[in-house]
Amino acid sequence: MAGSDAVSPSKSTADIEANETGLGAVKTLLQGQSSGGTAKQVGLAFRHLSVAAPDLGIVYAKTLPRAIVNTFGVDQFNFLRTHVFPRGPSKSAQGHARNILTDFTGMVKPGEMLFVLGRPGSGCSTFLRTAANRSTLDVTGHLSFANIAASEFKRRHRRETIYLPEEDRHIAALSVSQTIRFALRMSLPSKLRTNQLVEELVMIMGKIFGIEHVLDTPVGGQFFPGVSGGERKRVSIAEVLATGSSVQCFDNSTRGLDSSTALDFVKALRRLTDVGQKTTLATLYQAGENIYRHFDKVLLIDQGHQVFFGRTEEAKAYFENLGYVPVPGETTAEFLTNITDPTQRRTKLGSKAESITTPQQLSVAFKESTQFARLLQEMSQSEKQLAAETSPIPSSAYNLSYLHQIMECLRREYQLVKGQRRVYYTKWVTTIVLCLTVGSLHYDLAVNAQGAFTRGGILFFALILNGWLQFPELFDAHTNRPVLERQASLNLYRPSAVAFARILIDLPLIAFQHVLFILPYYFLAKLQVDAGKFFFLYLTVFVSTVNFSNLLRGFAYYVSSLDDCFRYGGTACTMCILFAGFLIPPISMPNIFGWLRHVNPLFYAFENVLVNEFVGLEIACNGAYAIPDVANADPRYQTCNIPGALPGQVNVPGSQYVEALGWRFDHRWRNIGIMIAIAAVYVLAGTLGSEIRRFASHGGTPIVYASNSSPSRTSSRHSRDIEKEAAMFPAGDTSSDSDAGKTHHDGPALTWKDLTVDIGDKQILKGISSYVRPGDFTALCGASGAGKTTLLTALSQTNFAGTLGGKVMFGGKVPGKVFKKATGFAQQQDLHDGTATVREALEFSALLRQPKHYSRAEKLAYVDRILDLLDLVEVQNALIGDAESGLGVELTKRVTIAVELVARPKILFADEPTSGLDSQGAAHIVDYLRRLSHSGQAVLVTIHQPSASLFAKFDRFLALSSEGKQLYFGLVQQVLPYFERYGAVPPPGANPAEFVLETVGAGVNARNDDKGTDWATRWDESPEAENVAAEIGHIQKQSSSLEDFDGSNEDYNASIFTQTWLLTVRIMRNQWRNPPYMYSKIWVHVVSSVLVGLTFFHLGTSPQDLQNRSFSVFFMVFLVNAIVNTILIRFFLARLYWEFREGPSKIYSWVVLCNASILAEMPGALICGVVYYLLWYFPSGLPLGGAAGYVFLAVLTYEVFQVLLGLLMMAISPDLRVAGNVLVFMICTMNWYNGLIVPYDQMQVFWRYWLYYLNPFSYLLGGLMIAVVERVSVHCADSDLHEFSPPRGQTCGAYAASWASSASAQLINPSATDFCSVCIWTSGDQYLEGFNLNPQKWGGKWGFWGIFMAFTVSNLTLVYFLTWATKIKKWKLFYFF
């Protein structure tokens, strides 16, 4: 830091001691990473290096209709061309390409650090990826590592190069120490790795990066609580450095770090580079002068052209000699970057620089310089020297063997299970409750003909329940995929090692789950009490569940979105259930799809559990199941109404029964082998997918525009309308650098006195007093973790989770509910609907947040004004995108600020608006905010790494110590004099912000000294603090209240109707522009309906056909799992946006969130219902007329019910995995207590008289079955007839005619004397009676529909109630976990 040596004589001594400690730590780390004690030396050289990417032109968003059309060949062709036959001329080779990097030449030796400079979009990230041998684009020219060609080096020494992207991606549930420990264990050689060494290195890394106090804290993520953003960035850096690679490339790795911590990071890099002879390359935005001086060389890039490469100390002089003039106060890095910006650079009149107008000309000037000639000479000498040396580089791509990689990944999976205990507790509780309820439903099931089918249902339930419980695993498998891809790119492990580790951790978890389930379930259901049968059932269910788990997880390795995961997973589940043999026995499966059973593991599992249970049973036939059921009948002249029964047989062996259905007892162990083989195929397919499929962005992502728009060219940063800007800001001077004489604007001011914040038992902020008035532009600075964001959230009342103390006043009053509407909070995380355009996002915010007295036209006109102000007109029709695609960091940050500004806030809070930006981007953002403040806006900004010129743009400065205490508040011009008065004398030209942070003890070791406390005490006793207190009192007396400016005292500025309409439109637009969601729902409905419709094709009226009619109806309920899981994801994300940004900002209420989430789903639900109905109902040959109309209405109602069920599950659940487990519980309960699988009369009395009637599916299926079966005249096929012999000397009519008449059975041959043929039903109503269904009961099928509609409405009510209970009243329905 500038001036760091001028604070006190003891400071240098402390620094020396710290440096010696740090040097020892670095040596320990490097010794642990080195297998032979000798540092590996790998230099980097490149000549005429160019990188090209396909030129896609203007890219438009892919919409739902296009996705549907592409299904018919386009997607398949593109997949084959991209993934199956990727070789051949690329687009760039065919001329449709643009150069991202052009003709780069340079060299970085071992022990050297290269600083890569350039504006965002200039190609810095592409260069670093290329230098790390990680580029997926077309690379031409020569690139070598230690004189080894890049292709050969990648093949033999891949782990010696690493690239750390800008984004921090970690497994959120793991702690900091677990994350670093894993990286160390994977990178240290096996023969040197000991637990003691690893633990020592973990502590060393914690000390080096100042995170030892959070080692046991979860890393966290965007929506998962954990360490702060700056600490998470340091975890990323520590993880990368732990890998021990020789060539290290860091892409903006100081994002989110304060200037002192950023300097400490660069110092650590310097030590590692020097001691370990590393080759280090880094892009660091907003780098201070001391950071710049730690580098040996600098590469300056201008729009993909190399305009300088050489020593850092020579760069400034080179450009000055060309005629470029530095601005007083700017750092060297700023000066160099400004040269690449035509609006910022300054040149001497008549100099060579004045004639340079393009990046190409600037590049040519460098190629003609003596620096470039010297570079070429140095490279030639180095190549000759390397050619004579033997490379000591190890040839292994990984430090650990493949087996050890799997074991280490398994260790981490175990830690992850412990970190997500609540999810597994929920799963196990769900398992126990279901096994007890469903087991007791079948309690003491009779071994007779009536219970034969139900007994098969018991066994089938055991299979599908445990399979369904694996569906929530998809959430984690997909969510953690970017983390695993990043770690695989660091060569910590092969991706397939994680895949195998997940399989291994699954085995004991599934085994334990089955112990919980099968033990009580088996004996409650009164299955055969035989140890061999019990353990064989356990084995079969276990192997079946393993198959399910690996089938579903395999999709996560191959598809890009969660919606696609559930699309394919749901379709696969549909096929498995339909062709398992339970609904359709093997002998009845149609040929068109029947072959699918041979690749269906559930088919083999069901055969196993069925024959395992039935072989050894004697199925008794009595009552109505005895044919004919005549008084005192001789069993020799009767038969049994079940498959496989022979004439004269009233007790049917179970083996005979299952063989009649097409099952074989001697297939049992063969089936186990086949299931294991199928599981092995799933495992191999999944591991192969993990190795070959990559979904992480590799840069170069184009801006995507809405399909009905194009880029606007009316405005850009490079051509501003100065007159328009002057008209927009008539009340303030946009060019003044001083606040001394500035007149403040009228309006409410925010003051806070002796403010404290407590979170749990820890006090984060201690006695902060300050204020912000209209026209004030205030900077809030402090070390990482000082509580800056906490202060903003406390003041703005946005996502504040602590206890606030002290006195906060706004407009002379305690902030009320109007206050939230009057403030804007631009959060550090850029949370947006990625499918919205920039203009749409701003209009949404403006229409909902601006005060009511503005007309719609005025609100939209203000949007135009803000678009102009922040130079967003050119991209107003572009989709915002996400972190990996879209507008990029600077533009997205501007959108975040714009979304808040269009609300016309009285105060704007901005949390690190310059984080991740280069110095020019940061300057632009600060300029925009400054102009806003000087036009009357009150602006409070946290800022991490301000340069001296950037710092000077602020009016006031509030500094916090790392302990959360106040160090200073006042004018920026008085900062240095204040500290100088207390002995901290700054050197000439010191950056005030950096000087203050260094003086008060910021950086990674800030928590280990008490300098911050000393300076906080000085502030408390200073006259400046007294003046601030007096000014606060003065402001509170004179400040106007907010109500004077806006008479509205309502919670929201827009009506409920307006909020609902705009949010509904936004969600539906998202569905239109983000096809996977709706496409997946349509896909599942189409595939399922076609399978069911053609499987039950043209059903007749035989008894078997009546059963098939009911099963074709019943199969519809199996859609729930696939469809509702995708709805869970949508509502979860929508709820997160509302919880973290849009709700606290008072954009719309929780009621509106529910309204819009429901309304936006309705069109898609109804379309899916129509599609399913048309493709299922008519091919199945079900009744036309009124029955068809009823079924159509019932299907549409069912689709609405599914939507509301999904929203209900998410409303009661804290996260997706818990919601997924609760959903499985609900699905199983509704599927098994509806009276179809277990008929009403066979249910235990306890469940029959309440749960059956509380099950909405009882009424849905009851009404549907009545509609498709009632009054159907039964015509038996030969296979449906039951045969028995009459007593000697009697005809069939004489023996059984009276019984047939009373039983409404059809006696086919009454005059026969040898064998009598009987069709057991004459009407479909008889079939319905077996399920307690009667066309006249409860008003018939319309009564059933009415009751089901009432359940649907109750779901609607519960969605609102439970959202209110869990999100407004904060009820914790799963608190016991």
Side-chain angles (χ1 to χ4, degrees):
M1 288 297 116
S4 61
D5 296 329
V7 177
S8 68
S10 61
K11 178 73 170 61
S12 59
T13 304
D15 279 348
I16 292 172
E17 292 175 356
N19 287 338
E20 289 177 353
T21 302
L23 186 60
V26 169
K27 287 180 177 178
T28 303
L29 175 63
L30 293 173
Q31 288 170 358
Q33 293 172 340
S34 175
S35 57
T38 304
K40 297 166 287 187
Q41 298 187 19
V42 179
L44 168 69
F46 46 94
R47 287 179 184 268
H48 306 299
L49 182 70
S50 297
V51 178
D55 188 359
L56 303 177
I58 299 175
V59 179
Y60 293 102
K62 182 179 179 180
T63 58
L64 179 60
R66 181 179 167 191
I68 294 174
V69 171
N70 285 1
T71 302
F72 303 99
V74 177
D75 285 342
Q76 292 80 0
F77 172 76
N78 289 335
F79 179 85
L80 291 174
R81 185 186 64 178
T82 305
H83 301 291
V84 180
F85 306 108
R87 299 189 181 279
S90 64
K91 285 188 177 183
S92 59
Q94 298 170 18
H96 304 291
R98 59 185 178 89
N99 271 1
I100 299 178
L101 303 178
T102 303
D103 197 19
F104 276 50
T105 299
M107 178 182 62
V108 189
K109 296 179 180 179
E112 288 185 339
M113 293 175 61
L114 174 67
F115 195 3
V116 182
L117 277 176
R119 289 182 294 161
S122 62
C124 295
S125 296
T126 300
F127 174 77
L128 289 178
R129 271 189 292 268
T130 306
N133 227 359
R134 294 291 188 275
S135 179
T136 58
L137 304 176
D138 288 341
V139 180
T140 58
H142 176 73
L143 174 65
S144 64
F145 301 86
N147 213 26
I148 302 173
S151 57
E152 177 69 12
F153 195 87
K154 185 174 185 178
R155 185 176 64 84
R156 297 181 55 196
H157 313 290
R158 179 180 171 84
R159 70 174 306 274
E160 293 304 318
T161 60
I162 57 170
Y163 168 74
L164 177 63
E166 186 174 351
E167 300 81 14
D168 298 311
R169 293 192 177 113
H170 299 281
I171 298 177
L174 294 181
S175 69
V176 171
S177 62
Q178 288 170 339
T179 302
I180 298 175
R181 186 180 295 112
F182 177 78
L184 288 167
R185 293 187 67 88
M186 297 301 293
S187 59
L188 291 173
S190 300
K191 59 184 179 181
L192 294 179
R193 186 189 58 199
T194 63
N195 290 335
Q196 181 181 354
L197 176 61
V198 170
E199 293 307 315
E200 179 184 354
L201 290 176
V202 168
M203 297 305 299
I204 287 172
M205 300 295 280
K207 291 177 181 177
I208 291 177
F209 295 104
I211 51 177
E212 55 185 328
H213 62 290
V214 293
L215 285 176
D216 296 325
T217 305
V219 177
Q222 189 174 21
F223 301 115
F224 192 100
V227 299
S228 69
E231 289 165 339
R232 191 175 300 118
K233 173 62 70 176
R234 283 178 262 172
V235 174
S236 300
I237 297 168
E239 183 183 48
V240 167
L241 294 181
T243 62
S245 297
S246 300
V247 179
Q248 304 175 132
C249 300
F250 298 90
D251 194 352
N252 197 16
S253 293
T254 57
R255 178 181 180 180
L257 304 182
D258 64 86
S259 53
S260 291
T261 306
L263 177 60
D264 286 338
F265 160 63
V266 174
K267 287 179 179 178
L269 275 187
R270 181 75 266 175
R271 297 187 194 112
L272 285 165
T273 303
D274 290 341
V275 178
Q277 287 297 288
K278 307 288 187 183
T279 302
T280 303
L281 297 80
T283 291
L284 307 176
Y285 291 155
Q286 303 178 54
E289 193 64 33
N290 273 6
I291 288 179
Y292 179 82
R293 290 172 183 167
H294 277 81
F295 287 86
D296 303 291
K297 294 178 179 178
V298 60
L299 167 64
L300 183 60
I301 305 175
D302 186 3
Q303 297 183 30
H305 293 271
Q306 177 184 356
V307 297
F308 183 81
F309 185 97
R311 308 296 301 180
T312 51
E313 61 270 17
E314 297 176 355
K316 186 174 184 179
Y318 165 77
F319 285 104
E320 286 179 332
N321 291 336
L322 285 179
Y324 292 100
V325 180
V327 176
E330 69 180 358
T331 65
T332 304
E334 286 179 305
F335 169 63
L336 296 178
T337 310
N338 283 340
I339 289 170
T340 66
D341 188 344
T343 65
Q344 298 291 323
R345 61 192 179 204
R346 299 183 180 184
T347 60
K348 294 180 183 177
L349 293 176
S351 66
K352 184 176 181 180
E354 193 176 22
S355 63
I356 297 176
T357 58
T358 66
Q360 292 86 344
Q361 292 173 337
L362 198 57
S363 177
V364 170
F366 172 65
K367 299 293 174 58
E368 295 173 350
S369 67
T370 56
Q371 284 85 355
F372 186 70
R374 189 166 64 246
L375 171 64
L376 294 178
Q377 182 180 5
E378 183 183 2
M379 291 180 66
S380 298
Q381 292 175 351
S382 177
E383 289 169 359
K384 292 178 182 177
Q385 181 180 355
L386 287 172
E389 295 178 356
T390 302
S391 173
I393 308 170
S395 59
S396 174
Y398 302 94
N399 255 338
L400 300 184
S401 67
Y402 190 61
L403 180 60
H404 279 91
Q405 292 176 41
I406 294 174
M407 296 308 296
E408 291 299 332
C409 290
L410 181 61
R411 181 198 298 262
R412 184 176 66 176
E413 291 298 320
Y414 172 73
Q415 294 170 345
L416 187 56
V417 169
K418 290 181 64 178
Q420 296 179 321
R421 291 185 297 273
R422 183 180 64 183
V423 173
Y424 289 95
Y425 291 161
T426 306
K427 186 175 184 177
W428 294 335
V429 168
T430 300
T431 301
I432 293 171
V433 172
L434 280 173
C435 82
L436 292 176
T437 55
V438 179
S440 62
L441 174 68
H442 303 90
Y443 179 72
D444 202 18
L445 184 65
V447 187
N448 56 25
Q450 186 182 25
F453 178 77
T454 303
R455 189 172 292 269
I458 296 173
L459 301 168
F460 189 63
F461 176 79
L463 294 172
I464 64 171
L465 164 65
N466 288 284
W468 276 341
L469 282 171
Q470 304 309 114
F471 261 93
E473 302 294 328
L474 281 175
F475 294 121
D476 262 1
H478 185 274
T479 303
N480 288 332
R481 188 173 64 191
V483 182
L484 306 181
E485 287 189 22
R486 185 181 71 84
Q487 292 181 337
S489 71
L490 297 177
N491 301 296
L492 294 179
Y493 48 72
R494 297 197 68 88
S496 56
V498 178
F500 278 120
R502 284 175 168 172
I503 294 163
L504 294 176
I505 196 66
D506 269 352
L507 298 180
L509 290 174
I510 292 173
F512 179 69
Q513 172 186 317
H514 288 359
V515 169
L516 295 177
F517 176 81
I518 291 179
L519 268 175
Y521 187 75
Y522 191 92
F523 296 104
L524 278 173
K526 270 297 185 70
L527 300 179
Q528 290 195 57
V529 183
D530 180 281
K533 291 181 179 293
F534 174 85
F535 287 111
F536 187 77
L537 174 72
Y538 182 94
L539 174 64
T540 299
V541 176
F542 174 79
V543 178
S544 173
T545 306
V546 170
N547 270 276
F548 250 103
S549 178
N550 287 288
L551 171 63
L552 295 174
R553 185 177 288 132
F555 293 123
Y557 294 123
Y558 282 95
V559 297
S560 58
S561 70
L562 262 176
D563 293 322
D564 288 332
C565 285
F566 283 107
R567 171 177 28 138
Y568 291 113
T571 303
C573 185
T574 297
M575 293 181 178
C576 286
I577 293 173
L578 184 58
F579 301 107
F582 172 64
L583 300 178
I584 312 172
I587 59 170
S588 302
M589 285 189 185
N591 293 329
I592 185 171
F593 291 127
W595 60 270
L596 288 172
R597 68 180 183 270
H598 297 300
V599 294
N600 180 6
L602 198 59
F603 173 81
Y604 301 104
F606 184 62
E607 180 175 38
N608 269 16
V609 296
L610 197 69
V611 300
N612 181 65
E613 173 60 22
F614 276 91
V615 170
L617 281 181
E618 282 288 321
I619 303 173
C621 201
N622 47 41
Y625 281 83
I627 300 176
D629 184 18
V630 297
N632 302 316
D634 188 334
R636 292 179 299 171
Y637 307 116
Q638 290 181 307
T639 189
C640 192
N641 183 17
I642 63 170
L646 300 175
Q649 193 176 45
V650 292
N651 290 315
V652 181
S655 58
Q656 188 174 312
Y657 168 72
V658 295
E659 286 176 4
L661 297 174
W663 307 111
R664 295 278 302 276
F665 181 75
D666 56 0
H667 286 174
R668 292 186 312 156
W669 291 106
R670 182 210 69 171
N671 291 346
I672 292 291
I674 293 175
M675 291 166 63
I676 292 174
I678 293 175
V681 171
Y682 291 158
V683 168
L684 292 176
T687 53
L688 177 63
S690 70
E691 290 283 350
I692 65 175
R693 296 287 282 157
R694 294 289 182 273
F695 299 96
S697 172
H698 292 284
T701 306
I703 293 178
V704 179
Y705 291 87
S707 57
N708 58 347
S709 64
S710 60
S712 172
R713 303 295 181 186
T714 60
S715 175
S716 71
R717 179 194 303 168
H718 307 298
S719 57
R720 294 182 181 148
D721 188 335
I722 304 301
E723 292 184 64
K724 182 183 289 186
E725 289 184 359
M728 289 167 62
F729 301 100
D733 178 8
T734 63
S735 61
S736 173
D737 291 332
S738 174
D739 174 63
K742 182 166 65 69
T743 302
H744 291 283
H745 297 262
D746 293 333
L750 178 67
T751 63
W752 55 99
K753 187 174 182 181
D754 299 325
L755 182 144
T756 62
V757 172
D758 296 283
I759 299 179
D761 297 330
K762 186 177 182 181
Q763 190 168 65
I764 306 299
L765 295 174
K766 306 173 180 70
I768 312 299
S769 298
S770 185
Y771 58 84
V772 57
R773 299 173 297 185
D776 277 350
F777 188 26
T778 304
L780 172 59
C781 292
S784 298
K788 302 183 295 298
T789 299
T790 302
L791 178 58
L792 286 194
T793 57
L795 294 175
S796 65
Q797 301 180 8
T798 302
N799 298 326
F800 180 60
T803 302
L804 182 65
K807 190 175 183 181
V808 180
M809 306 287 284
F810 184 58
K813 297 182 179 180
V814 176
K817 60 183 179 181
V818 181
F819 173 73
K820 285 190 176 182
K821 297 192 300 180
T823 59
F825 187 8
Q827 300 181 32
Q828 183 177 351
Q829 295 175 330
D830 300 310
L831 299 178
H832 300 282
D833 175 9
T835 60
T837 66
V838 174
R839 172 173 285 280
E840 289 165 354
L842 268 61
E843 289 182 351
F844 181 81
S845 180
L847 292 173
L848 293 181
R849 297 174 68 184
Q850 288 192 26
K852 290 183 176 180
H853 61 260
Y854 292 105
S855 67
R856 178 182 175 87
E858 288 175 317
K859 292 177 181 178
L860 296 181
Y862 195 72
V863 169
D864 291 328
R865 174 178 173 180
I866 298 301
L867 285 169
D868 265 341
L869 168 66
L870 295 181
D871 285 330
L872 292 171
V873 174
E874 186 174 347
V875 293
Q876 62 179 314
N877 296 319
L879 304 191
I880 298 173
D882 55 25
E884 294 184 351
S885 63
L887 301 177
V889 178
E890 181 184 350
L891 284 173
T892 304
K893 186 62 68 177
R894 278 194 254 162
V895 172
T896 300
I897 296 171
V899 164
E900 301 301 319
L901 290 181
V902 293
R904 301 180 189 258
K906 301 298 180 183
I907 299 179
L908 175 65
F909 300 96
D911 190 8
E912 297 184 26
T914 63
S915 181
L917 305 180
D918 71 326
S919 55
Q920 277 66 45
H924 293 143
I925 293 292
V926 171
D927 281 337
Y928 297 137
L929 294 175
R930 175 179 173 80
R931 287 170 18 221
L932 278 171
S933 68
H934 289 189
S935 66
Q937 182 79 59
V939 182
L940 177 60
V941 175
T942 63
I943 192 163
H944 262 160
Q945 302 176 41
S947 63
S949 58
L950 203 66
F951 184 78
K953 297 179 186 292
F954 290 92
D955 303 323
R956 284 183 167 76
F957 175 54
L958 172 60
L960 301 180
S961 72
S962 57
E963 298 89 1
K965 298 179 180 180
Q966 185 167 345
L967 301 172
Y968 177 81
F969 175 71
L971 296 174
V972 295
Q973 298 88 345
Q974 301 301 321
V975 174
L976 294 181
Y978 168 80
F979 280 90
E980 188 173 357
R981 195 170 73 234
Y982 290 100
V985 181
N991 179 339
E994 292 184 354
F995 173 76
V996 169
L997 289 178
E998 183 66 19
T999 299
V1000 301
V1004 297
N1005 296 309
R1007 297 177 182 271
N1008 299 327
D1009 58 45
D1010 55 1
K1011 288 188 293 183
T1013 301
D1014 295 341
W1015 281 102
T1017 302
R1018 292 189 181 102
W1019 167 257
D1020 291 338
E1021 298 171 352
S1022 69
E1024 285 83 356
E1026 295 179 5
N1027 293 338
V1028 169
E1031 184 66 15
I1032 290 174
H1034 177 71
I1035 292 172
Q1036 291 176 351
K1037 292 178 182 178
Q1038 295 189 351
S1039 185
S1040 303
S1041 67
L1042 182 60
E1043 283 70 17
D1044 295 336
F1045 294 85
D1046 184 1
S1048 171
N1049 199 37
E1050 299 176 2
D1051 286 334
Y1052 299 90
N1053 283 330
S1055 66
I1056 290 288
F1057 175 80
T1058 302
Q1059 294 175 47
T1060 301
W1061 170 255
L1062 291 177
L1063 183 58
T1064 302
V1065 169
R1066 188 181 77 174
I1067 295 175
M1068 293 184 68
R1069 189 187 292 124
N1070 180 289
Q1071 294 175 359
W1072 187 260
R1073 293 176 182 164
N1074 185 27
Y1077 173 63
M1078 277 305 303
Y1079 182 83
S1080 296
K1081 290 179 68 174
I1082 295 172
W1083 166 283
V1084 170
H1085 280 83
V1086 168
V1087 173
S1088 298
S1089 60
V1090 169
L1091 285 172
V1092 177
L1094 295 182
T1095 299
F1096 298 104
F1097 187 69
H1098 278 190
L1099 294 173
T1101 59
S1102 69
Q1104 181 62 49
D1105 285 332
L1106 294 186
Q1107 182 170 331
N1108 287 342
R1109 288 184 181 212
S1110 64
F1111 282 157
S1112 74
V1113 165
F1114 176 66
F1115 194 81
M1116 185 170 63
V1117 303
F1118 288 109
L1119 291 174
V1120 173
N1121 208 25
I1123 299 303
V1124 175
N1125 269 301
T1126 61
I1127 296 173
L1128 294 181
I1129 303 166
R1130 299 285 294 184
F1131 190 50
F1132 177 69
L1133 294 176
R1135 194 180 73 185
L1136 286 178
Y1137 284 130
W1138 176 79
E1139 284 185 83
F1140 283 89
R1141 188 174 73 84
E1142 296 176 329
S1145 297
K1146 292 296 179 181
I1147 301 179
Y1148 54 85
S1149 69
W1150 67 270
V1151 174
V1152 171
L1153 172 67
C1154 295
N1155 290 346
S1157 296
I1158 294 168
L1159 291 174
E1161 291 289 340
M1162 290 302 106
L1166 297 179
I1167 290 172
C1168 289
V1170 171
V1171 168
Y1172 186 89
Y1173 174 79
L1174 293 175
L1175 297 179
W1176 155 65
Y1177 193 83
F1178 296 107
S1180 297
L1182 298 175
L1184 302 179
Y1190 173 86
V1191 172
F1192 179 67
L1193 179 61
V1195 169
L1196 296 184
T1197 309
Y1198 170 66
E1199 292 292 339
V1200 175
F1201 177 87
Q1202 283 189 111
V1203 169
L1204 296 175
L1205 179 65
L1207 299 181
L1208 175 60
M1209 293 300 98
M1210 202 64 252
I1212 66 176
S1213 305
D1215 56 48
L1216 283 172
R1217 289 192 64 179
V1218 171
N1221 286 319
V1222 175
L1223 175 64
V1224 171
F1225 172 79
M1226 294 298 295
I1227 291 173
C1228 290
T1229 303
M1230 291 188 293
N1231 282 359
W1232 244 255
Y1233 288 84
N1234 53 52
L1236 183 58
I1237 301 300
V1238 184
Y1240 179 82
D1241 292 336
Q1242 296 182 38
M1243 288 185 182
Q1244 289 297 317
V1245 173
F1246 177 76
W1247 301 116
R1248 183 192 308 170
Y1249 291 124
W1250 70 278
L1251 191 54
Y1252 170 81
Y1253 293 103
L1254 288 179
N1255 185 354
F1257 282 7
S1258 297
Y1259 307 96
L1260 170 69
L1261 295 174
L1264 288 171
M1265 287 176 64
I1266 291 173
V1268 300
V1269 174
E1270 67 174 330
R1271 292 193 296 272
V1272 170
S1273 297
V1274 178
H1275 299 88
C1276 283
D1278 291 342
S1279 58
D1280 296 311
L1281 298 175
H1282 295 275
E1283 293 186 342
F1284 59 91
S1285 299
R1288 186 180 301 274
Q1290 292 190 35
T1291 64
C1292 294
Y1295 174 60
S1298 60
W1299 165 82
S1301 177
S1302 63
S1304 298
Q1306 302 178 47
L1307 188 60
I1308 304 301
N1309 52 349
S1311 59
T1313 59
D1314 49 358
F1315 287 101
C1316 306
S1317 298
V1318 174
C1319 181
I1320 60 173
W1321 295 318
T1322 59
S1323 169
D1325 292 352
Q1326 294 172 266
Y1327 174 76
L1328 293 174
E1329 288 174 2
F1331 298 96
N1332 194 40
L1333 298 175
N1334 189 316
Q1336 283 72 47
K1337 184 178 181 181
W1338 296 334
K1341 58 180 177 286
W1342 289 106
F1344 280 86
W1345 177 83
I1347 298 173
F1348 180 67
M1349 188 66 189
F1351 275 102
T1352 304
V1353 174
S1354 69
N1355 273 4
L1356 176 67
T1357 305
L1358 286 173
V1359 168
Y1360 287 92
F1361 172 73
L1362 291 170
T1363 301
W1364 169 82
T1366 58
K1367 298 305 167 188
I1368 304 303
K1369 294 302 180 181
K1370 305 298 182 183
W1371 294 1
K1372 295 186 181 297
L1373 302 183
F1374 293 91
Y1375 72 94
F1376 47 85
F1377 295 138

